[in-house]
Amino acid sequence: TLQFRNGFALSTIMHTKKINGEWAKPEVADFCGIYTDLEPAFSPDGKRLYFSSSRPVSGSKNKDFDIWYVTKTNGQWGNAISLDSTVNSKEDEYYASVARNGNIYFTRAVKNREEDIMVCRYDNGKYSTAESLPDEINSTGDEFNAFVDPDEKFIIYTGYKRKGNYGTGDLYISKKNNGVWSASKNMGEKINGAGITYCPYISADKKYFFFTSSRGIFKTPFAARLNFDDMKKLMHDPLNGSDNIYWMNAEEILKEE
């Protein structure tokens, strides 16, 4: 997602290809560029791409964010389709993550609890009613942007403003043992830091762990007095406190699982 940080007025999904070891110039995804779109996530088989959007549903003027998907056929993404009302509601739905069995995890505002991580189980071609994950993961505060392992062995998500956080929002991990989610564990300062850390994602081959962070480079006092050109350089630097995508070897976190 490429997004102007002050709200969702400018937010679209981009894609780029790695050619001869170099990333090509990013382009707007074929199914985006008109509406407010964000948070793409592949299905485990790579044939579907799920994302959140405030685009209208069936000709209506949509006012909230719902989860949509596109399907790839012959190398091309098709038209965007909105998930049914079991998943999408009058509340905002964000950051879909789909398990191999079809279960879909996402974020939704919940009465008296701010945002929770929800799951709709998939059985016989239909989704069950959405339910919040247990208190080992959710709390009365904000939990959002969960990545679930395709085999549901673990889940990684952001816990916002929790006691003991390294930043405002930190990534946590919970494992599933005998069908029960374990108490969540902060993933530590190697990943979490100043600002907010969110949008975790592990590549299908489990080689790479991606996440977004607003960590910056500004530390005062500065070694020398800044002039105007120094200020401009800092403000236009990628590490100016705007949110960036980071990556690391997934083995570093999966070996503990």
Side-chain angles (χ1 to χ4, degrees), residues 9-254:
L10 176 60
S11 179
T12 194
I13 294 169
M14 310 291 291
H15 74 98
T16 181
K17 295 181 179 179
K18 204 169 192 179
I19 302 173
N20 297 324
E22 299 290 335
W23 288 111
K25 181 181 178 181
E27 298 178 9
V28 175
D30 292 342
F31 50 91
C32 297
I34 297 176
Y35 305 103
T36 302
D37 304 312
L38 64 157
E39 300 175 344
F42 288 102
S43 60
D45 62 9
K47 294 180 180 179
R48 278 189 179 183
L49 187 73
Y50 295 82
F51 63 99
S52 292
S53 178
S54 62
R55 63 184 63 197
V57 179
S58 300
S60 65
K61 187 176 180 181
N62 201 25
K63 294 183 180 180
D64 70 328
F65 285 89
D66 286 337
I67 295 173
W68 295 67
Y69 70 88
V70 288
T71 301
K72 182 175 281 189
T73 305
N74 297 324
Q76 298 294 322
W77 294 112
N79 295 326
I81 298 173
S82 175
L83 291 180
D84 61 39
S85 58
T86 310
V87 177
N88 292 320
S89 70
K90 63 180 181 180
E91 303 291 345
D92 291 324
E93 280 79 30
Y94 294 113
Y95 210 76
S97 185
V98 180
R100 208 180 309 277
N101 59 14
N103 293 347
I104 185 168
Y105 294 72
F106 56 93
T107 303
R108 180 192 287 172
V110 177
K111 187 177 181 181
N112 299 324
R113 288 174 65 96
E114 299 193 33
E115 286 185 326
D116 267 5
I117 297 165
M118 317 288 291
V119 61
C120 284
R121 306 187 191 282
Y122 192 72
D123 187 38
N124 291 324
K126 294 183 179 180
Y127 290 112
S128 65
T129 301
E131 55 187 271
S132 292
L133 294 187
D135 291 347
E136 283 77 11
I137 295 168
N138 286 314
S139 71
T140 56
D142 265 347
E143 286 78 32
F144 51 86
N145 288 14
F147 169 83
V148 66
D149 171 66
D151 298 312
E152 297 177 298
K153 293 180 178 179
F154 62 88
I155 190 169
I156 301 172
Y157 66 95
T158 297
Y160 191 65
K161 291 186 177 180
R162 286 187 175 182
K163 184 179 179 180
N165 272 10
Y166 295 93
T168 52
D170 283 9
L171 290 182
Y172 286 78
I173 188 166
S174 171
K175 296 182 289 185
K176 183 180 271 190
N177 297 311
N178 298 319
V180 178
W181 292 108
S182 65
S184 297
K185 177 184 176 183
N186 189 301
M187 297 186 73
E189 59 183 337
K190 187 172 184 178
I191 294 170
N192 298 308
I196 184 170
T197 308
Y198 63 111
C199 289
Y201 191 86
I202 294 177
S203 60
D205 58 11
K206 295 193 175 182
K207 289 184 178 180
Y208 305 108
F209 175 47
F210 300 91
F211 59 91
T212 299
S213 173
S214 64
R215 66 193 67 190
I217 60 172
F218 300 162
K219 292 183 180 180
T220 56
F222 295 106
R225 182 175 177 270
L226 300 181
N227 59 34
F228 182 57
D229 288 337
D230 295 330
M231 294 285 289
K232 285 197 297 182
K233 184 178 180 180
L234 287 173
M235 286 188 288
H236 288 282
D237 191 283
L239 295 178
N240 62 3
S242 293
D243 301 352
N244 291 312
I245 298 172
Y246 292 78
W247 72 274
M248 61 187 291
N249 291 326
E251 182 182 5
E252 296 185 48
I253 62 168
L254 295 179

